[in-house]
Structures are given as structure tokens and as C-alpha cells.
Amino acid sequence: MSIDVKHLAKLARLRIEDDKLAKFEKDMESIVGMVEQLPDVSGDAWNLDPNHPMKLREDTEGMDKLPRAELLANAPQMQAGCVVVPKTVE
């Protein structure tokens, strides 16, 4: 199996140096190989162990809501009623 790491990097907008392409290709092939070895599971996969079935949490609206003013009182900086946070994406 051959994985075109350069093409994947372009799609993901990642810059991978040419000298590291072979390492990334080997790593990606290893990951795909591990995924191919995973067992197939059918519809009731979350109930695999009948002695310890997983119980899904029921989504409910929280009843212990705080007023907006009280929540925003601890914000270090606010603008137009919103919390100002540092920019994380360029």
C-alpha cells in the first residue's frame, strides 16, 4: 500500500519537509495497517459485555444555572457582553 503523504498534507494545509516524507508515509501505513486489523462490530457493539453493559447518559438540561451577570463577573476582559479571549488561529 502506498499513501501519498504530500497530497494529504496539501489537503490538510500542512507543510511537511521533503526529508520527512518517507517517515510520515511509513507512519501512515502503520496506522492504516492497525485500523485494518480492528475487528468488525455489528449494530449492538456497545453491548459487547453482557455482564457490564455500557449505559448511555441521558441528556438533560441543567437546573443549577447561574445568572449571566454572575458568570461574566469573573471574566478578565469583556466586550459587548462577551468574554474576550486570546486569538488562537491565524
PDB file of all heavy atoms in Angstrom, residues 30-50:
ATOM      1  N   SER A  30       1.522   2.333   8.780  1.00  0.00           N
ATOM      2  CA  SER A  30       1.401   1.594  10.031  1.00  0.00           C
ATOM      3  C   SER A  30       0.034   1.829  10.674  1.00  0.00           C
ATOM      4  O   SER A  30      -0.607   0.890  11.152  1.00  0.00           O
ATOM      5  CB  SER A  30       2.515   2.012  10.986  1.00  0.00           C
ATOM      6  OG  SER A  30       2.345   1.414  12.238  1.00  0.00           O
ATOM      7  N   ILE A  31      -0.426   3.076  10.658  1.00  0.00           N
ATOM      8  CA  ILE A  31      -1.730   3.406  11.242  1.00  0.00           C
ATOM      9  C   ILE A  31      -2.841   2.714  10.466  1.00  0.00           C
ATOM     10  O   ILE A  31      -3.753   2.110  11.047  1.00  0.00           O
ATOM     11  CB  ILE A  31      -1.936   4.934  11.267  1.00  0.00           C
ATOM     12  CG1 ILE A  31      -0.985   5.568  12.273  1.00  0.00           C
ATOM     13  CG2 ILE A  31      -3.387   5.290  11.584  1.00  0.00           C
ATOM     14  CD1 ILE A  31      -0.908   7.077  12.194  1.00  0.00           C
ATOM     15  N   VAL A  32      -2.779   2.783   9.138  1.00  0.00           N
ATOM     16  CA  VAL A  32      -3.805   2.137   8.312  1.00  0.00           C
ATOM     17  C   VAL A  32      -3.778   0.629   8.538  1.00  0.00           C
ATOM     18  O   VAL A  32      -4.825  -0.020   8.624  1.00  0.00           O
ATOM     19  CB  VAL A  32      -3.610   2.495   6.819  1.00  0.00           C
ATOM     20  CG1 VAL A  32      -4.514   1.657   5.938  1.00  0.00           C
ATOM     21  CG2 VAL A  32      -3.874   3.972   6.593  1.00  0.00           C
ATOM     22  N   GLY A  33      -2.590   0.052   8.676  1.00  0.00           N
ATOM     23  CA  GLY A  33      -2.483  -1.374   8.957  1.00  0.00           C
ATOM     24  C   GLY A  33      -3.137  -1.752  10.270  1.00  0.00           C
ATOM     25  O   GLY A  33      -3.826  -2.783  10.354  1.00  0.00           O
ATOM     26  N   MET A  34      -2.954  -0.933  11.299  1.00  0.00           N
ATOM     27  CA  MET A  34      -3.592  -1.209  12.591  1.00  0.00           C
ATOM     28  C   MET A  34      -5.109  -1.117  12.484  1.00  0.00           C
ATOM     29  O   MET A  34      -5.831  -1.934  13.047  1.00  0.00           O
ATOM     30  CB  MET A  34      -3.088  -0.237  13.662  1.00  0.00           C
ATOM     31  CG  MET A  34      -1.700  -0.543  14.151  1.00  0.00           C
ATOM     32  SD  MET A  34      -1.206   0.433  15.591  1.00  0.00           S
ATOM     33  CE  MET A  34      -1.204   2.082  14.937  1.00  0.00           C
ATOM     34  N   VAL A  35      -5.597  -0.127  11.740  1.00  0.00           N
ATOM     35  CA  VAL A  35      -7.049   0.038  11.587  1.00  0.00           C
ATOM     36  C   VAL A  35      -7.636  -1.147  10.830  1.00  0.00           C
ATOM     37  O   VAL A  35      -8.724  -1.628  11.159  1.00  0.00           O
ATOM     38  CB  VAL A  35      -7.375   1.370  10.875  1.00  0.00           C
ATOM     39  CG1 VAL A  35      -8.830   1.447  10.500  1.00  0.00           C
ATOM     40  CG2 VAL A  35      -6.987   2.543  11.762  1.00  0.00           C
ATOM     41  N   GLU A  36      -6.917  -1.639   9.830  1.00  0.00           N
ATOM     42  CA  GLU A  36      -7.410  -2.791   9.064  1.00  0.00           C
ATOM     43  C   GLU A  36      -7.491  -4.041   9.933  1.00  0.00           C
ATOM     44  O   GLU A  36      -8.279  -4.943   9.643  1.00  0.00           O
ATOM     45  CB  GLU A  36      -6.513  -3.046   7.860  1.00  0.00           C
ATOM     46  CG  GLU A  36      -6.700  -2.007   6.765  1.00  0.00           C
ATOM     47  CD  GLU A  36      -5.730  -2.190   5.604  1.00  0.00           C
ATOM     48  OE1 GLU A  36      -4.710  -2.909   5.768  1.00  0.00           O
ATOM     49  OE2 GLU A  36      -6.007  -1.610   4.545  1.00  0.00           O
ATOM     50  N   GLN A  37      -6.713  -4.126  10.995  1.00  0.00           N
ATOM     51  CA  GLN A  37      -6.731  -5.289  11.878  1.00  0.00           C
ATOM     52  C   GLN A  37      -7.815  -5.210  12.944  1.00  0.00           C
ATOM     53  O   GLN A  37      -8.040  -6.184  13.664  1.00  0.00           O
ATOM     54  CB  GLN A  37      -5.371  -5.460  12.546  1.00  0.00           C
ATOM     55  CG  GLN A  37      -4.284  -5.852  11.590  1.00  0.00           C
ATOM     56  CD  GLN A  37      -2.931  -5.946  12.279  1.00  0.00           C
ATOM     57  OE1 GLN A  37      -2.820  -5.771  13.484  1.00  0.00           O
ATOM     58  NE2 GLN A  37      -1.897  -6.226  11.499  1.00  0.00           N
ATOM     59  N   LEU A  38      -8.496  -4.086  13.067  1.00  0.00           N
ATOM     60  CA  LEU A  38      -9.557  -3.969  14.062  1.00  0.00           C
ATOM     61  C   LEU A  38     -10.695  -4.924  13.719  1.00  0.00           C
ATOM     62  O   LEU A  38     -11.031  -5.104  12.548  1.00  0.00           O
ATOM     63  CB  LEU A  38     -10.085  -2.532  14.108  1.00  0.00           C
ATOM     64  CG  LEU A  38      -9.142  -1.484  14.683  1.00  0.00           C
ATOM     65  CD1 LEU A  38      -9.747  -0.093  14.535  1.00  0.00           C
ATOM     66  CD2 LEU A  38      -8.846  -1.763  16.140  1.00  0.00           C
ATOM     67  N   PRO A  39     -11.313  -5.531  14.710  1.00  0.00           N
ATOM     68  CA  PRO A  39     -12.408  -6.467  14.423  1.00  0.00           C
ATOM     69  C   PRO A  39     -13.656  -5.721  13.958  1.00  0.00           C
ATOM     70  O   PRO A  39     -13.895  -4.571  14.324  1.00  0.00           O
ATOM     71  CB  PRO A  39     -12.647  -7.145  15.779  1.00  0.00           C
ATOM     72  CG  PRO A  39     -12.163  -6.156  16.784  1.00  0.00           C
ATOM     73  CD  PRO A  39     -11.028  -5.413  16.131  1.00  0.00           C
ATOM     74  N   ASP A  40     -14.443  -6.407  13.131  1.00  0.00           N
ATOM     75  CA  ASP A  40     -15.714  -5.836  12.699  1.00  0.00           C
ATOM     76  C   ASP A  40     -16.710  -5.938  13.842  1.00  0.00           C
ATOM     77  O   ASP A  40     -16.742  -6.942  14.570  1.00  0.00           O
ATOM     78  CB  ASP A  40     -16.259  -6.594  11.480  1.00  0.00           C
ATOM     79  CG  ASP A  40     -15.412  -6.367  10.249  1.00  0.00           C
ATOM     80  OD1 ASP A  40     -14.787  -5.294  10.162  1.00  0.00           O
ATOM     81  OD2 ASP A  40     -15.374  -7.254   9.375  1.00  0.00           O
ATOM     82  N   VAL A  41     -17.510  -4.910  14.022  1.00  0.00           N
ATOM     83  CA  VAL A  41     -18.546  -4.917  15.050  1.00  0.00           C
ATOM     84  C   VAL A  41     -19.882  -4.636  14.386  1.00  0.00           C
ATOM     85  O   VAL A  41     -19.969  -3.925  13.397  1.00  0.00           O
ATOM     86  CB  VAL A  41     -18.267  -3.871  16.164  1.00  0.00           C
ATOM     87  CG1 VAL A  41     -17.087  -4.282  16.995  1.00  0.00           C
ATOM     88  CG2 VAL A  41     -18.069  -2.498  15.594  1.00  0.00           C
ATOM     89  N   SER A  42     -20.926  -5.216  14.937  1.00  0.00           N
ATOM     90  CA  SER A  42     -22.255  -5.035  14.351  1.00  0.00           C
ATOM     91  C   SER A  42     -23.078  -4.062  15.184  1.00  0.00           C
ATOM     92  O   SER A  42     -22.566  -3.426  16.095  1.00  0.00           O
ATOM     93  CB  SER A  42     -22.949  -6.389  14.255  1.00  0.00           C
ATOM     94  OG  SER A  42     -23.063  -6.954  15.545  1.00  0.00           O
ATOM     95  N   GLY A  43     -24.353  -3.984  14.902  1.00  0.00           N
ATOM     96  CA  GLY A  43     -25.255  -2.983  15.466  1.00  0.00           C
ATOM     97  C   GLY A  43     -25.209  -2.788  16.964  1.00  0.00           C
ATOM     98  O   GLY A  43     -25.216  -1.672  17.447  1.00  0.00           O
ATOM     99  N   ASP A  44     -25.182  -3.856  17.751  1.00  0.00           N
ATOM    100  CA  ASP A  44     -25.199  -3.717  19.212  1.00  0.00           C
ATOM    101  C   ASP A  44     -23.787  -3.794  19.781  1.00  0.00           C
ATOM    102  O   ASP A  44     -23.537  -4.424  20.807  1.00  0.00           O
ATOM    103  CB  ASP A  44     -26.067  -4.801  19.850  1.00  0.00           C
ATOM    104  CG  ASP A  44     -27.419  -4.278  20.261  1.00  0.00           C
ATOM    105  OD1 ASP A  44     -27.649  -3.076  20.088  1.00  0.00           O
ATOM    106  OD2 ASP A  44     -28.236  -5.073  20.763  1.00  0.00           O
ATOM    107  N   ALA A  45     -22.855  -3.110  19.152  1.00  0.00           N
ATOM    108  CA  ALA A  45     -21.448  -3.190  19.555  1.00  0.00           C
ATOM    109  C   ALA A  45     -21.214  -2.662  20.957  1.00  0.00           C
ATOM    110  O   ALA A  45     -20.313  -3.117  21.647  1.00  0.00           O
ATOM    111  CB  ALA A  45     -20.583  -2.424  18.560  1.00  0.00           C
ATOM    112  N   TRP A  46     -21.990  -1.696  21.419  1.00  0.00           N
ATOM    113  CA  TRP A  46     -21.753  -1.130  22.737  1.00  0.00           C
ATOM    114  C   TRP A  46     -22.203  -2.082  23.842  1.00  0.00           C
ATOM    115  O   TRP A  46     -21.962  -1.851  25.004  1.00  0.00           O
ATOM    116  CB  TRP A  46     -22.407   0.233  22.877  1.00  0.00           C
ATOM    117  CG  TRP A  46     -23.889   0.243  22.691  1.00  0.00           C
ATOM    118  CD1 TRP A  46     -24.572   0.300  21.525  1.00  0.00           C
ATOM    119  CD2 TRP A  46     -24.879   0.193  23.708  1.00  0.00           C
ATOM    120  NE1 TRP A  46     -25.907   0.278  21.744  1.00  0.00           N
ATOM    121  CE2 TRP A  46     -26.130   0.227  23.085  1.00  0.00           C
ATOM    122  CE3 TRP A  46     -24.828   0.120  25.084  1.00  0.00           C
ATOM    123  CZ2 TRP A  46     -27.320   0.176  23.789  1.00  0.00           C
ATOM    124  CZ3 TRP A  46     -26.016   0.090  25.797  1.00  0.00           C
ATOM    125  CH2 TRP A  46     -27.241   0.122  25.144  1.00  0.00           C
ATOM    126  N   ASN A  47     -22.852  -3.157  23.490  1.00  0.00           N
ATOM    127  CA  ASN A  47     -23.313  -4.143  24.465  1.00  0.00           C
ATOM    128  C   ASN A  47     -22.473  -5.414  24.397  1.00  0.00           C
ATOM    129  O   ASN A  47     -22.973  -6.498  24.614  1.00  0.00           O
ATOM    130  CB  ASN A  47     -24.776  -4.493  24.195  1.00  0.00           C
ATOM    131  CG  ASN A  47     -25.674  -4.122  25.332  1.00  0.00           C
ATOM    132  OD1 ASN A  47     -25.199  -3.710  26.374  1.00  0.00           O
ATOM    133  ND2 ASN A  47     -26.956  -4.274  25.134  1.00  0.00           N
ATOM    134  N   LEU A  48     -21.188  -5.315  24.088  1.00  0.00           N
ATOM    135  CA  LEU A  48     -20.348  -6.488  23.892  1.00  0.00           C
ATOM    136  C   LEU A  48     -20.225  -7.345  25.146  1.00  0.00           C
ATOM    137  O   LEU A  48     -20.183  -8.553  25.064  1.00  0.00           O
ATOM    138  CB  LEU A  48     -18.956  -6.063  23.417  1.00  0.00           C
ATOM    139  CG  LEU A  48     -18.896  -5.493  22.010  1.00  0.00           C
ATOM    140  CD1 LEU A  48     -17.484  -5.030  21.695  1.00  0.00           C
ATOM    141  CD2 LEU A  48     -19.350  -6.505  20.987  1.00  0.00           C
ATOM    142  N   ASP A  49     -20.154  -6.743  26.309  1.00  0.00           N
ATOM    143  CA  ASP A  49     -20.015  -7.493  27.557  1.00  0.00           C
ATOM    144  C   ASP A  49     -21.361  -7.490  28.275  1.00  0.00           C
ATOM    145  O   ASP A  49     -21.746  -6.491  28.885  1.00  0.00           O
ATOM    146  CB  ASP A  49     -18.939  -6.853  28.435  1.00  0.00           C
ATOM    147  CG  ASP A  49     -18.669  -7.645  29.701  1.00  0.00           C
ATOM    148  OD1 ASP A  49     -19.304  -8.698  29.896  1.00  0.00           O
ATOM    149  OD2 ASP A  49     -17.809  -7.212  30.483  1.00  0.00           O
ATOM    150  N   PRO A  50     -22.097  -8.605  28.243  1.00  0.00           N
ATOM    151  CA  PRO A  50     -23.436  -8.610  28.856  1.00  0.00           C
ATOM    152  C   PRO A  50     -23.394  -8.410  30.371  1.00  0.00           C
ATOM    153  O   PRO A  50     -24.370  -7.972  30.961  1.00  0.00           O
ATOM    154  CB  PRO A  50     -23.993  -9.988  28.490  1.00  0.00           C
ATOM    155  CG  PRO A  50     -22.822 -10.813  28.092  1.00  0.00           C
ATOM    156  CD  PRO A  50     -21.754  -9.875  27.636  1.00  0.00           C
TER     157      PRO A  50
END
